[in-house]
Amino acid sequence: MHYEIETNGKYQMNNQILPELVQHFYRLLTKYSKVIPLRMDFGYRRTELYHHPDDWDMYRLAEELMRDRKILGYSWVMEYSPLKQYHFHVMFYLDGQSFKSSYRIARYIGERWVEKTQGEGIYHISNKKPYHQVSGTKMILHNDRRRQREIEYILSYMAKEEQKEVLEMLIYDVSLIPPVSGRGRPRK
């Protein structure tokens, strides 16, 4: 990237995760003209449900949503804190051509999480709150630079160093994005 990423100044950024999350977002915007971001948080009622890294409930949920064509893409980061224990910050991306709002699909995703964790999963839809500086649920057009910078800011929270240092390694993932087909009218 040839510019400075818009970050949340309250936190030290992880320089491995941040560029990957932001580049993933821009690759999605290259492929899709309208994207609706959906920020959610997921956790467990009891921490003994955290499994070995090859059995992440979050990975299975995100891939299932991709397979069922409910989302265009995703990025997630696992963290640990004494209060929330193991938890995930997730950004799902919806097709703005198919969805006008993220609320219904957010509820669906949350219910799938609870099912996948045998009723032990908890989730939170991170809609704009009075204390949030930007909203993560408004549609973004491929040429809307102001909204893109707002999403960079939200992604930077996911890429903060805090709450990752107790993990043995960084645990995060981004979806694969198929190449642009070359069909359709070129963008201006």
Side-chain angles (χ1 to χ4, degrees):
M1 301 205 168
H2 303 294
Y3 62 88
E4 191 170 318
I5 295 172
E6 187 74 27
T7 61
N8 185 329
K10 297 177 188 173
Y11 301 99
Q12 169 91 24
M13 293 298 117
N14 180 289
N15 293 323
Q16 177 181 337
I17 297 174
L18 181 62
E20 195 162 341
L21 298 182
V22 171
Q23 289 169 10
H24 178 261
F25 166 62
Y26 282 108
R27 285 194 311 271
L28 275 166
L29 283 180
T30 300
K31 182 161 177 66
Y32 303 100
S33 62
K34 295 178 181 178
V35 173
I36 300 174
L38 171 59
R39 252 284 284 126
M40 295 182 72
D41 295 323
F42 298 86
Y44 299 97
R45 293 182 198 284
R46 297 184 322 224
T47 58
E48 65 269 16
L49 291 177
Y50 170 70
H51 306 292
H52 188 271
D54 64 0
D55 190 26
W56 288 321
D57 295 321
M58 180 50 59
Y59 175 79
R60 291 193 328 257
L61 173 67
E63 283 299 309
E64 174 186 300
L65 294 167
M66 289 288 291
R67 199 174 43 254
D68 293 347
R69 301 186 189 282
K70 301 287 186 194
I71 59 174
L72 299 174
Y74 64 82
S75 55
W76 60 261
V77 176
M78 190 173 92
E79 294 182 346
Y80 178 87
S81 72
L83 179 63
K84 293 182 180 178
Q85 305 290 310
Y86 291 104
H87 60 280
F88 302 90
H89 297 294
V90 184
M91 180 71 85
F92 294 112
Y93 298 99
L94 311 177
D95 185 352
Q97 302 288 357
S98 303
F99 292 95
K100 298 299 174 219
S101 167
S102 60
Y103 183 74
R104 273 190 164 147
I105 190 72
R107 293 297 304 247
Y108 172 81
I109 292 169
E111 290 165 10
R112 291 294 304 132
W113 173 254
V114 172
E115 286 175 31
K116 224 169 233 335
T117 59
Q118 294 87 38
E120 291 295 331
I122 55 175
Y123 68 95
H124 173 75
I125 303 167
S126 301
N127 292 335
K128 182 154 172 42
K129 305 281 190 277
Y131 53 86
H132 289 165
Q133 291 193 15
V134 297
S135 172
T137 59
K138 293 181 187 171
M139 185 175 314
I140 303 173
L141 303 177
H142 71 91
N143 59 356
D144 185 347
R145 188 68 188 121
R146 184 185 62 77
R147 282 287 298 134
Q148 292 168 12
R149 298 287 282 180
E150 290 175 358
I151 299 307
E152 289 177 10
Y153 181 89
I154 293 168
L155 291 171
S156 77
Y157 178 78
M158 293 171 56
K160 69 186 187 299
E161 283 283 353
E162 190 176 299
Q163 298 183 3
K164 294 173 185 64
E165 61 275 352
V166 299
L167 303 172
E168 292 177 17
M169 59 185 198
L170 293 173
I171 302 173
Y172 68 101
D173 194 25
V174 298
S175 60
L176 296 175
I177 302 169
V180 178
S181 70
R183 298 186 323 226
R185 189 174 72 230
R187 294 184 186 164
K188 294 181 181 183

